[in-house]
Amino acid sequence: MTDVTQQLPLAIEPPPRAASGLIGWLRANLFSSAFNSILTLLGVAFLAMTIPPFIRWAVVDAVWSAPNSRACAGAGACWAFIHEKFRFILFGTYPYEEQWRPFWAVLIFLALILASCDRRLWGRRLVLLWLAGLAVVGVLMWGEVFGLSYVGTELWSGLPLTLIIAVVGIAFAFPLAILLALGRRSRLPAVRTICVAYIELIRGVPLITVLFMASVMLPLFLPTGVTIDKLLRAQVALILFAAAYLAEVIRGGLQAIPRGQIEAADALGLGYWQRTRLIVLPQALAMVIPPLVNTFIGTFKDTTLVIIIGLFDLLGTINASLNDANWRGTSVEAYVFAAVFYFCFCFFMSRYSYMLEREFNKGRRR
Amino acid sequence: MTALDQETPIIELRGVDKWYGDFHVLRNINLDVAKGERVVVCGPSGSGKSTMIRCINRLEDHQRGQIIVAGIELTSDVKNVEAIRREVGMVFQQFNLFPHLTVLENLTLAPIWVRKMPKKEADETARLYLERVRIPEQADKYPGQLSGGQQQRVAIARSLCMKPEIMLFDEPTSALDPEMIKEVLDVMIELAEEGMTMVCVTHEMGFARTVADTMVFMDRGEIVERGPPKEFFANPKSDRTKLFLSQILAH
């Protein structure tokens, strides 16, 4: 009789089951060694010391309504201050009776941002939606048509100002950055030199300096009688600044495109712009989503610097409310509120970027 | 090959030289390819064979001599170059499919954007060619989900969708696992039988024997020998050719 080795295929077995259940999870993740057990206990102790007092301050002992900060004395957080100043924080110096206009402007912005999350709307339709939305926001904020009274940009402040500077800033800086990044890799020496010089110059200067130049120095060079709106100057400064940083991020993506992709596009007869738009940019941008969103978040927070040239964004109106003699000693509450607001927006952007990454990397998944 | 030579060649290389820095990579290359002719180029690595066929659609530029493809001379004029690239398909060693597009989108991209073909027609053409390379069921997958052999067949179909007059193959089977080489060669043999003009850099000598009208042997940047495959394999004239053939046919 001959030896028959394994005539049948080997039985398919399920993978070995790891220690399961709560105990198994705890052992594997929190108490896998003596050192890790000590770290776990230290971590628990730290949380036990910090979280309950914070909750007591922010919720349990908090004062939700009071006539002034003296009425809050000795208790927890004085949220009465935020409650009292809420409308000023949101809309600042915009005429009180007209504040429904910035209110709707903000809602339109939020709706547009949420609409951008829907994959089915992407494309030309979304761009048109944004243009229409921005036009309506402009009409609402400026007025002077449809029976709305005129409100100059010097009165715009608070949340709408923050959103306008951030959204318009990112929307214009991004295409400019793509052109700069492409230009920096151009074969034409003049184009390349201009782009390199621009990027290096802007990156070498702090944003505050750029804003100061836009608001203080630029008017000195203009002929007398010619003035450019202060908000517009700040907006342009932010766009130019953000574009330089974004350009370098995008260039990183461009460099990661294999040479073969460009050769294949060339061999099919695609021209430079077709190749760039259809083959190079979709892959390059998908690769740099994390640093790209990083820069977007940075730009969003940088908008708070416009306070330096006298524009009152959300942080500006919060600061201004603290000057009220009735509400002394409420700066912690004010800044916690500001922090929560900025965190919500930045966290949203980072979640959004995860979604984009999943969407764009479909092709790479096996 | 006599019958083929009487027509005007569709590809002409006249005294072509090329340097990479100081390195003389192509030396006085003269080559005519007639319409419908199948040319197989072989030679040791670094002999300039890939560089030569990449000059034919100007992925590389030459510094001396003339290259005339389908009656158009290749110069630095971008319009000329793009016109020629529309008529010349190329298949690469590394496939170079576009990973962010589905198989179908890979195939329809150039017809839609370069040939301005309506999308529906481009889709139909693409599915026809996928059928011909025997992977119609993969149309909606991404290249990363296919095997190497399937990817290379998609790449061939992608070039064919442009209805080119000439196909260039730059070592199309060198990056494939052995069991996938045949499926790609079968597609190429079919293409040859349909009368496509082909210039093919390859080490697959069995393929060369089957389909080539002309064998070209290159070494150190020169064309050393050329001739019909029977003669080329049976009694090579130059010592360099003999040495090369003995090395690759030894086992």
Side-chain angles (χ1 to χ4, degrees), chain B residues 1-9 30-40 211-216 223 225-232 237:
Chain B
M1 94 175 252
T2 44
L4 292 165
D5 270 356
Q6 284 153 6
E7 299 170 39
T8 33
N30 288 289
L31 181 73
D32 285 353
V33 179
K35 197 165 170 44
E37 187 175 357
R38 277 92 61 171
V39 177
V40 169
V211 306
D213 296 309
T214 310
M215 291 296 301
V216 171
I223 293 183
E225 187 165 343
R226 90 187 70 181
K230 246 186 205 139
E231 211 176 301
F232 178 85
K237 290 179 206 80

Side-chain angles (χ1 to χ4, degrees), chain A residues 88-109:
Chain A
F88 180 77
I89 288 173
L90 284 190
F91 304 120
T93 50
Y94 205 89
Y96 194 81
E97 289 72 34
E98 302 289 331
Q99 284 182 0
W100 60 272
R101 282 155 58 179
F103 173 75
W104 280 102
V106 167
L107 283 191
I108 289 172
F109 263 124

Side-chain angles (χ1 to χ4, degrees), chain B residues 119-131:
Chain B
K119 189 178 178 309
K120 196 162 167 278
E121 195 187 330
D123 274 358
E124 282 164 12
T125 315
R127 288 191 189 279
L128 197 77
Y129 281 111
L130 279 181
E131 200 98 33

Side-chain angles (χ1 to χ4, degrees), chain A residues 266-274, chain B residues 57 74 77-88 114 162:
Chain A
D266 281 347
L268 287 167
L270 295 172
Y272 173 82
W273 288 106
Q274 288 177 333
Chain B
N57 66 351
L74 280 170
D77 180 349
V78 180
K79 285 275 160 288
N80 271 358
V81 172
E82 283 175 12
I84 286 172
R85 284 173 178 167
R86 284 197 286 271
E87 308 308 328
V88 180
V114 179
M162 284 293 281

Side-chain angles (χ1 to χ4, degrees), chain B residues 91-104:
Chain B
V91 176
F92 300 87
Q93 184 179 353
Q94 300 295 339
F95 328 138
N96 295 345
L97 294 175
F98 305 128
H100 62 301
L101 301 176
T102 64
V103 166
L104 195 67

Side-chain angles (χ1 to χ4, degrees), chain A residues 21-42:
Chain A
L22 183 62
I23 307 282
W25 185 88
L26 284 176
R27 187 166 293 157
N29 292 293
L30 297 177
F31 300 100
S32 57
S33 68
F35 181 65
N36 284 349
S37 303
I38 292 171
L39 285 184
T40 300
L41 293 175
L42 282 177

Side-chain angles (χ1 to χ4, degrees), chain B residues 196-213:
Chain B
M196 175 66 81
T197 310
M198 291 165 71
V199 180
C200 189
V201 172
T202 185
H203 297 296
E204 296 298 329
M205 289 303 133
F207 168 79
R209 272 188 234 262
T210 321
V211 306
D213 296 309

